[in-house]
Amino acid sequence: GRHDGVSFRRMHYRGDFTVAFPEPYDEITFVIPTAGRIIFNDSAESLGLPHIGLAIDKADLRSMRFVDNHAQHGMSISRAALTERLSSLLGRPIVHKLHFEPRVDLNSPAFQGIRALIDLATGAEFDLLLNAGSLMPSRLREMLVDAVLEAWPHNFSEALRRPEASIAPRHVKQAI
């Protein structure tokens, strides 16, 4: 499915083949392989396996190859959606480009949570609810974007984990 700058999928490819991308996209693709291999020809060559997840900047992507009956859970999120939400969470404009860790260990529980969200989003049981109105697709989009920003390491991860400064009550005097 696709909603407002976020697409999500659960796919299984039979056989081996290559897909070429004639033009760059301004989005990040997050791939959680469940079988086979996927090889991205981007600025380097990135290999995804069932225990290795990938974050691919589609601005650099030239082609991808599916090998050994590759299966995956995946999503693509526009850079604008990620940056807008990150700015909102941090309470300040994002002036540096957002970069995600290109390879992650999928044995971490956080990535199993992202996979479960994609399972939900792509499942037949959720389809009726997802297509019934406009509120549910927006909430799903927010959950997927927030899950990636919180779980997938990136150059703003540390800033997101810092506790927010709290406002001192009126009776507390400022220390000099």
Side-chain angles (χ1 to χ4, degrees):
R2 178 172 279 283
H3 179 73
D4 198 20
V6 176
S7 68
F8 45 90
R9 62 202 158 273
R10 180 173 33 168
M11 303 172 103
H12 187 183
Y13 302 94
R14 302 212 187 276
D16 299 352
F17 60 94
T18 301
V19 175
F21 292 91
E23 59 187 58
Y25 294 95
D26 196 22
E27 63 184 19
I28 310 294
T29 292
F30 301 91
V31 180
I32 300 174
T34 55
R37 295 179 294 151
I38 186 168
I39 303 164
F40 288 94
N41 181 9
D42 47 2
S43 56
E45 189 172 89
S46 304
L47 173 65
L49 300 166
H51 64 283
I52 298 173
L54 299 174
I56 302 295
D57 188 334
K58 282 184 146 178
D60 301 327
L61 186 60
R62 291 183 285 288
S63 67
M64 64 182 164
R65 183 164 183 228
F66 303 96
V67 183
D68 300 332
N69 293 320
H70 172 73
Q72 66 165 280
H73 289 67
M75 63 182 151
S76 297
I77 304 175
S78 72
R79 184 174 296 285
L82 289 163
T83 304
E84 179 183 311
R85 181 63 178 150
L86 182 60
S87 176
S88 175
L89 290 170
L90 294 176
R92 60 182 162 91
I94 304 303
V95 294
H96 299 289
K97 188 175 182 179
L98 178 60
H99 294 280
F100 285 89
E101 186 68 34
R103 295 169 49 101
V104 296
D105 179 0
L106 293 177
N107 293 319
S108 165
F111 299 113
Q112 297 308 313
I114 292 174
R115 180 179 170 181
L117 275 174
I118 296 171
D119 269 335
L120 170 75
T122 58
E125 302 85 2
F126 192 62
D127 201 41
L128 291 174
L129 185 59
L130 190 60
N131 293 316
S134 61
L135 187 59
M136 195 56 64
S138 296
R139 296 297 166 251
L140 176 63
R141 174 190 180 272
E142 290 172 3
M143 286 189 332
L144 291 169
V145 170
D146 285 354
V148 164
L149 287 173
E150 288 180 6
W152 208 289
H154 53 81
N155 56 326
F156 290 91
S157 292
E158 187 178 313
L160 272 179
R161 284 193 281 278
R162 277 190 219 130
E164 289 186 38
S166 58
I167 299 173
R170 288 185 205 188
H171 67 279
V172 175
K173 297 192 183 226
Q174 183 176 358
I176 298 179

